[in-house]
């Protein structure tokens, strides 16, 4: 193998982030644990964007928070850049803190209201001087005049740009984006998504992009993982997920995404998901999606489906869509 081919092989097989059988059980009432994340595994390569999608409460934020170690996993492992970071103590985590950053859904709640933009972006370790902060402000589409202002002086979209600048300051390789546009006006959402895409191209960033529906992640993500009640039910290339979903849940989520062509929109099939997802404190036996699934049969109510490869992607379903 030539040196270049060897390098390419390494780039495509070596994951920047590798999550294996990650679990988080929160203490619940009457001693019953809440299995918020119940055996999640995935890889993310350098410079790649993986979408993590699912309804409210399925465990997306908990997964993200375990990766950045805001939460200690109940079990499972997180490897970053080839290193097992699952059990590092806060001191050992310190150098890695700069390599994995997070952007949050509510930009105001995640910014300290008593700090100026300069203090927020340069961070507790004062990574940047004033001119460094100004460079970052320009990079995220804010004005240098904003540097001495406080968060309440900004709109939601601007506040999110500050959150993005703060995440970029330590030059990370990976940013966990936890629904970064869900709280913003629809007109602003595209601007922030475009900014994140530009920054990714410029700095070869990898994103784990969390969203609750499939519309936002479509243009951003090379691969998409669909979560339901603490587990990944389908993960694969974007085109496979959008044009040919294999899990009935993915198909239902997709049918909620409007199609730009009005003729297609008027005639396309819609699957309405009845009710809310069950509580992770009392998941149904078998496949946890079975009570809401149009394809469910006897086996689905007793046997948890093991992920298998269907048409080039991983699916955990006994009766995948044709
Ligand atoms: N600290 C906690 N203690 C107990 N239960 C928790 C805790 N944090 C989260 N949960 C529960 O874990 C489950 C997963 O929560 P999580 O916030 O990860 O979901 P999510 O997919 O991010 O939802 P959303 O789309 O609403 O942000 C939920 O049932 C939630 O109530
Ligand atoms: Mg969340």
């Amino acid at each position: 193998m030539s040196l270049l081919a060897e390098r390419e092989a390494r780039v495509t097989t070596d994951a920047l982030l590798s999550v294996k059988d990650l679990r988080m059980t929160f203490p619940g009432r009457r001693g019953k644990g809440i299995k918020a994340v119940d055996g999640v595994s995935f890889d993310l390569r350098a410079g790649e964007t993986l979408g993590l999608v699912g309804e409210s409460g399925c465990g997306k934020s908990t997964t993200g928070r375990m990766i950045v170690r805001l939460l200690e996993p109940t079990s499972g492992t997180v490897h970053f850049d080839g290193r097992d970071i699952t059990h590092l103590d806060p001191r050992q985590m310190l150098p890695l803190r700069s390599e994995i950053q997070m952007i949050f859904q509510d930009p105001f709640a995640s910014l300290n209201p008593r700090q100026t933009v300069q203090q927020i972006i340069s961070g507790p370790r004062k990574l940047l001087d004033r001119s460094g902060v100004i460079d970052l402000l320009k990079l995220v589409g804010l004005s240098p005049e904003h540097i001495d202002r406080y968060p309440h002086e900004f709109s939601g979209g601007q506040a999110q740009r500050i959150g993005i600048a703060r995440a970029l300051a330590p030059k990370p390789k990976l940013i966990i984006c936890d629904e970064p546009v869900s709280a913003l006006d629809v007109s602003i959402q595209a601007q922030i998504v475009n900014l994140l895409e530009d920054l990714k191209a410029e700095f070869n960033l990898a994103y784990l992009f969390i969203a609750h529906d499939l519309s936002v992640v479509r243009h951003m993500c090379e691969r998409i993982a669909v979560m339901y009640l603490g587990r990944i039910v389908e993960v694969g290339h974007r085109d496979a997920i959008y044009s040919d979903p294999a899990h009935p849940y993915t198909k239902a989520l997709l049918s909620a995404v409007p199609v730009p062509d009005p003729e297609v929109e008027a005639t396309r099939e819609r699957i309405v998901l009845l009710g809310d997802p069950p509580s992770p404190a009392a998941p149904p036996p078998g496949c946890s999606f079975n009570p809401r699934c149009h394809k469910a049969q006897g086996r689905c109510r007793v046997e948890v489906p093991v992920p298998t490869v269907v048409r080039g992607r991983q699916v955990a379903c006994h009766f995948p869509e044709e």
Side-chain angles (χ1 to χ4, degrees):
M1 209 192 286
S2 76
L3 212 68
L4 187 68
E6 217 173 273
R7 211 175 122 219
E8 280 181 357
R10 194 159 57 84
V11 169
T12 50
T13 54
D14 280 6
L16 175 67
L17 176 73
S18 181
V19 169
K20 291 242 154 56
D21 203 22
L22 206 58
R23 289 168 200 267
M24 182 70 219
T25 307
F26 291 113
R29 268 183 261 154
R30 282 178 253 118
K32 259 197 119 195
I34 300 165
K35 291 182 175 174
V37 175
D38 194 19
V40 160
S41 304
F42 60 83
D43 283 350
L44 182 56
R45 294 190 304 273
E48 187 189 25
T49 303
L50 174 69
L52 188 61
V53 173
E55 282 163 289
S56 183
C58 71
K60 307 178 298 291
S61 294
T62 304
T63 302
R65 292 165 68 87
M66 286 193 281
I67 294 166
V68 295
R69 297 289 306 281
L70 285 170
L71 270 174
E72 189 73 21
T74 307
S75 65
T77 56
V78 179
H79 282 77
F80 182 77
D81 237 354
R83 212 174 143 199
D84 187 346
I85 63 164
T86 328
H87 304 291
L88 299 185
D89 62 36
R91 196 177 43 85
Q92 293 168 312
M93 263 309 277
L94 210 56
L96 285 164
R97 282 252 170 267
S98 36
E99 301 201 20
I100 314 175
Q101 286 288 309
M102 194 152 176
I103 303 170
F104 300 89
Q105 176 171 356
D106 181 344
F108 291 109
S110 67
L111 304 176
N112 184 339
R114 283 176 296 277
Q115 286 189 333
T116 64
V117 168
Q118 150 106 32
Q119 289 167 320
I120 291 169
I121 294 177
S122 63
R125 285 183 283 152
K126 305 218 168 32
L127 291 170
L128 299 171
D129 60 13
R130 214 171 155 80
S131 76
V133 172
I134 287 173
D135 289 345
L136 265 185
L137 285 176
K138 290 187 198 152
L139 195 67
V140 300
L142 291 169
S143 151
E145 292 150 31
H146 289 140
I147 192 164
D148 294 316
R149 298 198 189 158
Y150 291 87
H152 74 266
E153 298 175 68
F154 294 93
S155 68
Q158 288 174 319
Q160 195 57 293
R161 289 175 195 268
I162 299 170
I164 293 168
R166 171 181 59 186
L168 285 176
K171 300 194 166 55
K173 290 182 183 157
L174 167 67
I175 303 183
I176 314 279
C177 307
D178 191 356
E179 305 213 34
V181 298
S182 308
L184 305 177
D185 288 350
V186 174
S187 57
I188 309 293
Q189 291 189 355
Q191 295 174 12
I192 298 294
V193 166
N194 288 343
L195 171 65
L196 289 169
E197 285 195 296
D198 291 347
L199 294 169
K200 172 191 151 132
E202 188 161 348
F203 300 108
N204 192 36
L205 295 166
Y207 291 141
L208 179 66
F209 195 97
I210 297 174
H212 56 255
D213 68 47
L214 279 163
S215 58
V216 174
V217 293
R218 177 164 208 159
H219 300 286
M220 284 210 79
C221 303
E222 286 96 340
R223 282 187 308 134
I224 290 166
V226 179
M227 255 185 112
Y228 190 79
L229 216 64
R231 296 191 183 128
I232 290 177
V233 296
E234 178 161 7
V235 56
H237 192 270
R238 175 217 0 228
D239 298 341
I241 301 283
Y242 278 92
S243 56
D244 178 31
H247 197 287
Y249 180 60
T250 312
K251 197 169 178 189
L253 276 185
L254 204 59
S255 85
V257 177
V259 178
D261 182 335
E263 259 175 56
V264 180
E265 175 65 19
T267 56
R268 76 192 169 87
E269 184 190 1
R270 281 195 185 77
I271 304 164
V272 179
L273 277 174
L274 296 173
D276 291 325
S279 158
C287 171
S288 54
F289 186 56
N290 89 72
R292 300 169 86 195
C293 182
H294 72 113
K295 297 197 88 183
Q297 301 181 27
R299 184 180 171 196
C300 309
R301 293 184 260 277
V302 289
E303 197 183 318
V304 177
V306 177
T308 51
V309 176
V310 175
R311 304 192 297 278
R313 92 298 302 269
Q314 289 251 353
V315 187
C317 177
H318 296 305
F319 304 102
E321 303 284 349
E322 309 271 301

